[in-house]
Amino acid sequence: MPKSKRNRPVTLSKTKKKPGLERKGKVVADIKDAIEHYDNAYVFTYDNMRNQKLKDLREQLKSSTRIFLAGKKVMQIALGRSAADEAKTGLHKLSKFLQGDSGLFFTNLPRDDVERLFKEFEEHDFARTGSISTETVELKEGPLEQFTHEMEPFLRKQGLPVRLNKGVVELVANHVVCEEGKPISPEAAQTLRLLGMQMATFRLYLVCRWSPDDFEVYKEGLAHLKANEDDDSS
């Protein structure tokens, strides 16, 4: 009689851990290690995240700082969610600020240096689809001499009313690429990139700071965190 598959024994030592669980476990371990090696911990939020720019900042500060962007629950578990399970006294206070677009910034840099870094940090980039336009961009009827004739079909696909006139790309009517305060369409994002117009600015804001003998909340950063949460929920 054949053996039932339902009753087939499973050797637990051979079962593989899920990659997601392993990654989360490593993040928790890395944060706990940072808690032991850095004097201060901050929660920060951001506008217009650009991964490469953040990677560059990590590289710039690697001798004094570690930056974490991970699942909020994972970071909260590493810090502790209450006084009963916090990794160090007062650390759980950071956890409630890990909401929306936020991360952890562990550092040995003096507070004034960190505050100056965050205040001065900004990196400009091209806006992405769905981001809010910071200004109205309108192209006037006439030749678009910055574009070669080969680009005319592509420009038409982006919604621009263009034609070739003696080998020159020509706009046959005024065209609004985007309007201030409204979401940028995929076509508008492409057109703005072609025009070299960078509407997005990657900025960082401090939300709160923990040290072994102090805790501080930054009102401006907290306002940005709440605004980002409102945008995500709308």
Side-chain angles (χ1 to χ4, degrees), residues 199-211:
M199 278 196 184
T201 303
F202 173 31
R203 289 191 177 95
L204 300 173
Y205 305 92
L206 293 172
V207 176
C208 57
R209 178 183 65 86
W210 170 90
S211 68

Side-chain angles (χ1 to χ4, degrees), residues 132-140 175-182 184 192 195 197 199:
I132 302 302
S133 176
T134 59
E135 62 180 291
T136 297
V137 176
E138 182 177 9
L139 299 177
K140 299 297 183 181
H175 176 72
V176 176
V177 177
C178 58
E179 295 183 60
E180 182 178 356
K182 293 186 177 181
I184 294 174
L192 291 170
L195 293 170
M197 298 188 67
M199 278 196 184

Side-chain angles (χ1 to χ4, degrees), residues 38 56 70 77 121 124 140-141 145 178 182 201 205 211-212 226-227:
Y38 296 95
D56 294 342
I77 288 170
F121 181 88
H124 300 286
K140 299 297 183 181
E141 177 185 349
E145 296 179 351
C178 58
K182 293 186 177 181
T201 303
Y205 305 92
S211 68
K226 290 181 176 179

Side-chain angles (χ1 to χ4, degrees), residues 158-169:
Q158 307 315 310
L160 274 68
V162 293
R163 68 181 180 186
L164 283 178
N165 185 0
K166 297 180 181 180
V168 176
V169 178

Side-chain angles (χ1 to χ4, degrees), residues 53-225:
K53 304 292 187 183
L54 184 67
K55 183 178 178 181
D56 294 342
L57 182 64
R58 278 189 170 115
E59 181 65 23
Q60 175 189 334
L61 300 175
K62 66 181 181 180
S63 64
S64 62
T65 301
R66 284 204 70 177
I67 301 172
F68 294 91
L69 278 179
K72 307 304 175 289
K73 289 184 179 179
V74 174
M75 293 190 289
Q76 289 170 348
I77 288 170
L79 296 173
R81 295 177 176 178
S82 68
D85 63 2
E86 62 188 4
K88 283 189 176 180
T89 302
L91 261 181
H92 79 278
K93 295 177 183 178
L94 294 176
S95 289
K96 72 174 183 177
F97 294 97
L98 286 169
Q99 306 165 12
D101 297 331
S102 59
L104 288 170
F105 186 94
F106 289 91
T107 187
N108 288 325
L109 292 172
R111 182 179 66 180
D112 290 348
D113 290 355
V114 174
E115 292 174 354
R116 186 181 309 111
L117 171 70
F118 274 71
K119 184 177 181 180
E120 296 176 355
F121 181 88
E122 64 175 32
E123 294 284 350
H124 300 286
D125 200 358
F126 295 105
R128 294 173 177 170
T129 299
S131 59
I132 302 302
S133 176
T134 59
E135 62 180 291
T136 297
V137 176
E138 182 177 9
L139 299 177
K140 299 297 183 181
E141 177 185 349
L144 298 175
E145 296 179 351
Q146 66 267 49
F147 300 121
T148 62
H149 69 276
E150 293 95 342
M151 294 192 67
E152 188 263 348
F154 181 76
L155 293 172
R156 273 193 284 109
K157 286 183 179 179
Q158 307 315 310
L160 274 68
V162 293
R163 68 181 180 186
L164 283 178
N165 185 0
K166 297 180 181 180
V168 176
V169 178
E170 183 178 71
L171 199 64
V172 300
N174 293 348
H175 176 72
V176 176
V177 177
C178 58
E179 295 183 60
E180 182 178 356
K182 293 186 177 181
I184 294 174
S185 68
E187 295 78 15
Q190 286 278 14
T191 302
L192 291 170
R193 183 176 287 270
L194 291 172
L195 293 170
M197 298 188 67
Q198 295 184 327
M199 278 196 184
T201 303
F202 173 31
R203 289 191 177 95
L204 300 173
Y205 305 92
L206 293 172
V207 176
C208 57
R209 178 183 65 86
W210 170 90
S211 68
D213 55 3
D214 193 18
F215 185 80
E216 179 180 8
V217 176
Y218 296 88
K219 291 182 179 179
E220 181 184 5
L222 183 59
H224 275 279
L225 182 64

